[in-house]
Amino acid sequence: MGSEERYDIVIVGGGIVGLATALALHRKGVQSLVLEKSDSLRSAGSGIGVFINGWRALDQLGVSTQLQMKSIPISEVHDGLINRSRIRVTPCRNEALRCLKRSDLVEAIANGLPAKAKSVRFGCQVVAVGRDPLTSFPVVHLDDGTNIKAKVLIGCDGSNSVVAKSLGLEAPRLFQMNAVRGLTNYPNGHIYGNTGFRLIGDQLIFGRIPIDDKLVFWFVAWRDHSTDSEVEKIPENIRDLSLELLKEFPTKVIEMVKDCDLDSLSFTHIRHRAPWNFLLQNLYRGTMTVAGDAMHVMGPFLAQGGSSGLEDAIVLGRCLSRELQLGSKNEIDDDEFKKRSEVALKSYVKERRLRVLRLSIQSYIVGSIVATSSWGKRFLCIVILVTFFGGMSLSHTRYNCGPL
Ligand SMILES: Cc1cc2nc3c(=O)[nH]c(=O)nc-3n(C[C@H](O)[C@H](O)[C@H](O)COP(=O)(O)OP(=O)(O)OC[C@H]3O[C@@H](n4cnc5c(N)ncnc54)[C@H](O)[C@@H]3O)c2cc1C
């Protein structure tokens, strides 16, 4: 029989969103424990584009200034089709777009937590979630046999979330696209200035965005024709596969991939949560909920998965601290804690449901335009995008999740 521990608030997953949720709570004077299955901070995915909505959330977490010093502002994004000379230029000064190294982002958030060793427990894999028969609070079961009773449980455990499963949420679907992400360092400086770039080929999209004057983040996403699973695990093979996919692309693109930092490469099967899940399924039950990819994994086509997860963290921090700190400073008993947490999670889900529904649909439509080989489907997606989402407008990035 394993040991048993008790905590008020437990967060499963120490990725961007789990750490951000812990920091949001900490800044409001509410303690939590993060359980992370890796042995140290993870930064898989190498780079991440952050728009103004994400910066607003990072501002609330008190880490935006230090992160802005590690990245350059992007003034415009150029979009084109392969073998066509026409380029569409989208200015984005108002959207405050910058690209960060993921390691810088997770470290900045983690460093804001009190005594990291106490607030984040590494090497802790949650294998199942149950319920205490007496109190009906959640109980998490770890792979080493430990049971942790939590008055509030927040699943920030990514697209394959154990917490989402125990809420009864349907598993996310494969989008039938894969993505490779990487970094290329130019020791003498790159030539791309402050410009992002996306080039669409046949069922394939390549993008690059500078992080600073020397470092560039790039990705390639393509329609899945069932890649050999061994390719995914070996960096040299991931690079060679990317070069093969991009062989018709301009020389500068090919050189960028050839010269990449092999350690930065990652291969992902793109997943998304079906939109009706947001309308028909429970995003919280009792004192248990989900945030980030665990709630709303979406394709990378709007570059909003991470930023919308940071918004979740702020809203969760605000809702939980408001309810738990209501009225007197005296400790509240378990029944009262439960009642207040349920109210908090209900208002969190109410606030987030339509926001993430809209982003998920928009991301799905943009992804389908790239992925489909049917001109009819592509045309229909473009009509929906223009009619309901203002085409390629960046208006979704102007969302403000509000103060903590
Ligand atoms: C190709 C691609 C490009 C993208 N580009 C962008 C972009 O430019 N901008 C943007 O905003 N978003 C982007 N995204 C989306 C973004 O990467 C994700 O939305 C974001 O990383 C989600 O963070 P998270 O913390 O919710 O989940 P994750 O980053 O998946 O973290 C989950 C954490 O939980 C841990 N964990 C999982 N299961 C357990 C368990 N059972 N027990 C304990 N720990 C567990 C994992 O180890 C991990 O650390 C992109 C995604 C892809 C695939």
PDB file of all heavy atoms in Angstrom, residues 389-401:
ATOM      1  N   PHE A 389     -15.153  34.844 -39.558  1.00  0.00           N
ATOM      2  CA  PHE A 389     -13.956  35.156 -38.766  1.00  0.00           C
ATOM      3  C   PHE A 389     -13.132  36.303 -39.348  1.00  0.00           C
ATOM      4  O   PHE A 389     -11.986  36.512 -38.938  1.00  0.00           O
ATOM      5  CB  PHE A 389     -13.076  33.902 -38.621  1.00  0.00           C
ATOM      6  CG  PHE A 389     -13.762  32.773 -37.905  1.00  0.00           C
ATOM      7  CD1 PHE A 389     -14.392  31.759 -38.614  1.00  0.00           C
ATOM      8  CD2 PHE A 389     -13.813  32.739 -36.521  1.00  0.00           C
ATOM      9  CE1 PHE A 389     -15.033  30.726 -37.959  1.00  0.00           C
ATOM     10  CE2 PHE A 389     -14.453  31.704 -35.858  1.00  0.00           C
ATOM     11  CZ  PHE A 389     -15.070  30.696 -36.574  1.00  0.00           C
ATOM     12  N   GLY A 390     -13.694  37.018 -40.331  1.00  0.00           N
ATOM     13  CA  GLY A 390     -12.963  38.165 -40.912  1.00  0.00           C
ATOM     14  C   GLY A 390     -11.724  37.741 -41.666  1.00  0.00           C
ATOM     15  O   GLY A 390     -10.710  38.436 -41.640  1.00  0.00           O
ATOM     16  N   GLY A 391     -11.775  36.573 -42.346  1.00  0.00           N
ATOM     17  CA  GLY A 391     -10.629  36.101 -43.138  1.00  0.00           C
ATOM     18  C   GLY A 391      -9.435  35.828 -42.246  1.00  0.00           C
ATOM     19  O   GLY A 391      -9.564  35.209 -41.202  1.00  0.00           O
ATOM     20  N   MET A 392      -8.269  36.319 -42.657  1.00  0.00           N
ATOM     21  CA  MET A 392      -7.055  36.055 -41.869  1.00  0.00           C
ATOM     22  C   MET A 392      -6.818  37.165 -40.841  1.00  0.00           C
ATOM     23  O   MET A 392      -5.693  37.364 -40.373  1.00  0.00           O
ATOM     24  CB  MET A 392      -5.835  35.915 -42.799  1.00  0.00           C
ATOM     25  CG  MET A 392      -5.849  34.657 -43.633  1.00  0.00           C
ATOM     26  SD  MET A 392      -5.963  33.145 -42.647  1.00  0.00           S
ATOM     27  CE  MET A 392      -4.263  32.984 -42.107  1.00  0.00           C
ATOM     28  N   SER A 393      -7.891  37.888 -40.500  1.00  0.00           N
ATOM     29  CA  SER A 393      -7.755  38.969 -39.513  1.00  0.00           C
ATOM     30  C   SER A 393      -7.183  38.423 -38.193  1.00  0.00           C
ATOM     31  O   SER A 393      -7.419  37.265 -37.826  1.00  0.00           O
ATOM     32  CB  SER A 393      -9.145  39.579 -39.287  1.00  0.00           C
ATOM     33  OG  SER A 393      -9.358  39.803 -37.930  1.00  0.00           O
ATOM     34  N   LEU A 394      -6.470  39.277 -37.497  1.00  0.00           N
ATOM     35  CA  LEU A 394      -5.865  38.847 -36.220  1.00  0.00           C
ATOM     36  C   LEU A 394      -6.703  39.314 -35.029  1.00  0.00           C
ATOM     37  O   LEU A 394      -6.195  39.408 -33.909  1.00  0.00           O
ATOM     38  CB  LEU A 394      -4.444  39.405 -36.115  1.00  0.00           C
ATOM     39  CG  LEU A 394      -3.428  38.834 -37.114  1.00  0.00           C
ATOM     40  CD1 LEU A 394      -2.106  39.585 -37.027  1.00  0.00           C
ATOM     41  CD2 LEU A 394      -3.184  37.343 -36.849  1.00  0.00           C
ATOM     42  N   SER A 395      -7.991  39.574 -35.277  1.00  0.00           N
ATOM     43  CA  SER A 395      -8.811  40.159 -34.206  1.00  0.00           C
ATOM     44  C   SER A 395      -8.883  39.243 -32.966  1.00  0.00           C
ATOM     45  O   SER A 395      -8.997  39.729 -31.843  1.00  0.00           O
ATOM     46  CB  SER A 395     -10.208  40.491 -34.711  1.00  0.00           C
ATOM     47  OG  SER A 395     -10.785  39.335 -35.223  1.00  0.00           O
ATOM     48  N   HIS A 396      -8.763  37.912 -33.186  1.00  0.00           N
ATOM     49  CA  HIS A 396      -8.828  36.999 -32.038  1.00  0.00           C
ATOM     50  C   HIS A 396      -7.665  37.211 -31.063  1.00  0.00           C
ATOM     51  O   HIS A 396      -7.733  36.785 -29.923  1.00  0.00           O
ATOM     52  CB  HIS A 396      -8.824  35.539 -32.524  1.00  0.00           C
ATOM     53  CG  HIS A 396      -7.630  35.206 -33.366  1.00  0.00           C
ATOM     54  ND1 HIS A 396      -7.607  35.422 -34.723  1.00  0.00           N
ATOM     55  CD2 HIS A 396      -6.429  34.707 -33.045  1.00  0.00           C
ATOM     56  CE1 HIS A 396      -6.415  35.059 -35.192  1.00  0.00           C
ATOM     57  NE2 HIS A 396      -5.687  34.623 -34.183  1.00  0.00           N
ATOM     58  N   THR A 397      -6.597  37.860 -31.529  1.00  0.00           N
ATOM     59  CA  THR A 397      -5.439  38.054 -30.645  1.00  0.00           C
ATOM     60  C   THR A 397      -5.641  39.246 -29.710  1.00  0.00           C
ATOM     61  O   THR A 397      -4.838  39.453 -28.801  1.00  0.00           O
ATOM     62  CB  THR A 397      -4.137  38.294 -31.455  1.00  0.00           C
ATOM     63  OG1 THR A 397      -4.263  39.544 -32.142  1.00  0.00           O
ATOM     64  CG2 THR A 397      -3.873  37.198 -32.445  1.00  0.00           C
ATOM     65  N   ARG A 398      -6.698  40.034 -29.993  1.00  0.00           N
ATOM     66  CA  ARG A 398      -6.854  41.259 -29.171  1.00  0.00           C
ATOM     67  C   ARG A 398      -7.645  40.999 -27.893  1.00  0.00           C
ATOM     68  O   ARG A 398      -7.938  41.912 -27.140  1.00  0.00           O
ATOM     69  CB  ARG A 398      -7.516  42.363 -30.012  1.00  0.00           C
ATOM     70  CG  ARG A 398      -6.513  42.840 -31.053  1.00  0.00           C
ATOM     71  CD  ARG A 398      -7.020  43.856 -32.019  1.00  0.00           C
ATOM     72  NE  ARG A 398      -6.278  43.674 -33.273  1.00  0.00           N
ATOM     73  CZ  ARG A 398      -6.810  43.649 -34.475  1.00  0.00           C
ATOM     74  NH1 ARG A 398      -8.102  43.821 -34.629  1.00  0.00           N
ATOM     75  NH2 ARG A 398      -6.058  43.455 -35.535  1.00  0.00           N
ATOM     76  N   TYR A 399      -8.026  39.775 -27.667  1.00  0.00           N
ATOM     77  CA  TYR A 399      -8.789  39.392 -26.476  1.00  0.00           C
ATOM     78  C   TYR A 399      -8.010  39.756 -25.205  1.00  0.00           C
ATOM     79  O   TYR A 399      -6.800  39.585 -25.132  1.00  0.00           O
ATOM     80  CB  TYR A 399      -9.026  37.879 -26.525  1.00  0.00           C
ATOM     81  CG  TYR A 399      -9.851  37.335 -25.401  1.00  0.00           C
ATOM     82  CD1 TYR A 399     -11.236  37.294 -25.488  1.00  0.00           C
ATOM     83  CD2 TYR A 399      -9.237  36.845 -24.253  1.00  0.00           C
ATOM     84  CE1 TYR A 399     -11.991  36.787 -24.452  1.00  0.00           C
ATOM     85  CE2 TYR A 399      -9.988  36.338 -23.213  1.00  0.00           C
ATOM     86  CZ  TYR A 399     -11.357  36.314 -23.326  1.00  0.00           C
ATOM     87  OH  TYR A 399     -12.107  35.805 -22.299  1.00  0.00           O
ATOM     88  N   ASN A 400      -8.748  40.240 -24.239  1.00  0.00           N
ATOM     89  CA  ASN A 400      -8.097  40.587 -22.970  1.00  0.00           C
ATOM     90  C   ASN A 400      -8.719  39.743 -21.854  1.00  0.00           C
ATOM     91  O   ASN A 400      -9.912  39.882 -21.563  1.00  0.00           O
ATOM     92  CB  ASN A 400      -8.302  42.089 -22.696  1.00  0.00           C
ATOM     93  CG  ASN A 400      -7.490  42.550 -21.503  1.00  0.00           C
ATOM     94  OD1 ASN A 400      -6.997  41.731 -20.730  1.00  0.00           O
ATOM     95  ND2 ASN A 400      -7.360  43.862 -21.353  1.00  0.00           N
ATOM     96  N   CYS A 401      -7.908  38.880 -21.244  1.00  0.00           N
ATOM     97  CA  CYS A 401      -8.459  37.984 -20.210  1.00  0.00           C
ATOM     98  C   CYS A 401      -8.648  38.715 -18.885  1.00  0.00           C
ATOM     99  O   CYS A 401      -9.163  38.144 -17.924  1.00  0.00           O
ATOM    100  CB  CYS A 401      -7.577  36.755 -20.033  1.00  0.00           C
ATOM    101  SG  CYS A 401      -5.907  37.142 -19.485  1.00  0.00           S
TER     102      CYS A 401
END
